């Protein structure tokens, strides 16, 4: 089954404790991205990657890092999480830029 | 970052009624997309529009790509309870291998049986 898989789905952590949200897709997609969803703000892009070793900032990259060492994986790294990064995070992928975007099921992150 | 103006923000309708929502932008897009998000799930694509003026249907859903390339609307006819969810528009511009996707703020739809 074609899918985008995120882990963890739910996490409560403390300020400053580094964490990584993993994302994996099994569709051989080149394009992957991360979004955060906040009430009243919709989905905002954090980072995206056009292919392996090619990443770039989205609209709200501050406080986040990403890496794309393999085509299927695109982890989101919060080096020093802060409460304003409490949000619902979505990983997404598509075959090429301009193609249909497929979303993961989301990761609820709470930073206290 | 840029955001699309999506309206209405939320709506309550009676089962069987038709629904209309729209998105506008100050920038043009190459593609307009409409997604639906069920509670606890990621957004799922409903309709994709690739040409200005294009009108596309998917069952009870109809969407149009505005002729100016700066707006789009989604209509749902004869609503049913499972239409409940949050609907997002998204505008996509692809230039020189660079893909920029901007999402609307969402329309929360509640259907009263």
């Amino acid at each position: 089954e074609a899918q985008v898989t995120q882990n963890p789905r739910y996490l409560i952590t403390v300020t400053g404790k580094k964490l990584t949200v993993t994302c994996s897709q099994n569709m051989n997609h080149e394009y992957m991205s991360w979004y955060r969803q906040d009430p009243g703000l919709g989905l905002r892009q954090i980072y995206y990657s056009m292919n392996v070793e090619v990443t770039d900032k989205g609209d709200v990259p501050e406080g986040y890092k990403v890496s794309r060492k393999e085509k299927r994986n695109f982890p989101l790294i919060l080096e020093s999480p802060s409460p304003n990064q409490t949000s619902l995070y979505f990983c997404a992928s598509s075959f090429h830029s301009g193609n249909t975007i497929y979303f993961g099921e989301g990761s609820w992150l709470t930073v206290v | 970052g840029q955001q699309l103006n999506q309206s209405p923000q939320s709506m309550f309708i009676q089962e069987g009624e038709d629904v209309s929502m729209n998105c506008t932008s100050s920038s043009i897009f190459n593609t307009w997309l409409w997604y639906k998000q069920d509670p606890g799930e990621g957004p799922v694509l409903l309709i994709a529009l690739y040409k200005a003026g294009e009108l596309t249907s998917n069952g009870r859903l109809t969407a149009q790509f505005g002729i100016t390339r700066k707006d789009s609307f989604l209509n749902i006819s004869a609503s049913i309870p499972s239409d409940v969810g949050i609907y997002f528009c998204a505008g996509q511009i692809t230039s020189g291998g660079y893909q920029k996707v901007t999402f609307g703020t969402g329309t929360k739809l509640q259907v009263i049986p």
Side-chain angles (χ1 to χ4, degrees):
Chain A
E1 181 189 350
Q3 57 187 7
V4 179
T5 305
Q6 300 177 222
N7 277 296
R9 293 288 314 279
Y10 305 93
L11 179 64
I12 300 174
T13 189
V14 296
T15 299
K17 185 177 180 182
K18 180 179 178 180
L19 69 92
T20 299
V21 186
T22 63
C23 175
S24 180
Q25 50 91 5
N26 62 359
M27 296 170 277
N28 201 35
H29 285 171
E30 291 185 354
Y31 185 91
M32 298 184 75
S33 57
W34 276 101
Y35 295 85
R36 60 178 288 174
Q37 183 177 13
D38 302 290
L41 297 176
L43 290 153
R44 294 180 293 168
Q45 192 178 54
I46 303 170
Y47 267 94
Y48 66 93
S49 170
M50 300 289 286
N51 213 326
V52 176
E53 301 291 4
V54 181
T55 64
D56 208 346
K57 296 176 181 178
D59 294 320
V60 288
E62 294 78 20
Y64 304 95
K65 284 174 56 178
V66 293
S67 70
R68 189 89 182 273
K69 292 182 169 48
E70 309 164 276
K71 199 172 189 178
R72 64 182 292 127
N73 296 323
F74 190 46
L76 179 70
I77 303 155
L78 285 74
E79 293 274 4
S80 182
S82 61
N84 65 12
Q85 291 178 298
T86 293
S87 187
L88 173 58
Y89 291 85
F90 286 102
C91 180
S93 73
S94 62
F95 189 57
H96 286 301
S97 63
N99 284 83
T100 301
I101 299 171
Y102 295 88
F103 286 87
E105 292 183 311
S107 295
W108 286 96
L109 172 64
T110 300
V111 183
V112 298
Chain B
Q2 179 191 3
Q3 289 232 292
L4 299 178
N5 296 313
Q6 184 171 349
S7 64
Q9 284 189 340
S10 64
M11 51 197 316
F12 285 82
I13 61 168
Q14 205 75 35
E15 182 177 357
E17 288 184 347
D18 297 344
V19 174
S20 186
M21 57 192 81
N22 68 81
C23 275
T24 59
S25 170
S26 57
S27 306
I28 63 171
F29 291 107
N30 292 340
T31 302
W32 279 96
L33 307 164
W34 285 93
Y35 286 84
K36 182 192 177 197
Q37 184 180 24
D38 291 325
E41 307 278 339
V44 174
L45 182 68
L46 297 173
I47 291 180
L49 303 156
Y50 300 105
K51 289 195 308 187
E54 179 181 352
L55 183 72
T56 296
S57 293
N58 178 8
R60 294 178 294 107
L61 278 58
T62 302
Q64 184 158 30
F65 192 142
I67 199 74
T68 65
R69 296 169 65 190
K70 294 182 179 180
D71 63 304
S72 177
F73 72 75
L74 174 71
N75 287 342
I76 305 173
S77 62
S79 59
I80 59 178
S82 62
D83 289 334
V84 165
I86 303 177
Y87 292 79
F88 290 101
C89 64
Q92 195 164 287
I93 188 86
T94 306
S95 176
Y98 165 73
Q99 181 195 62
K100 174 68 177 174
V101 180
T102 304
F103 281 85
T105 49
T107 295
K108 188 172 184 178
L109 178 63
Q110 306 269 41
V111 179
I112 304 166

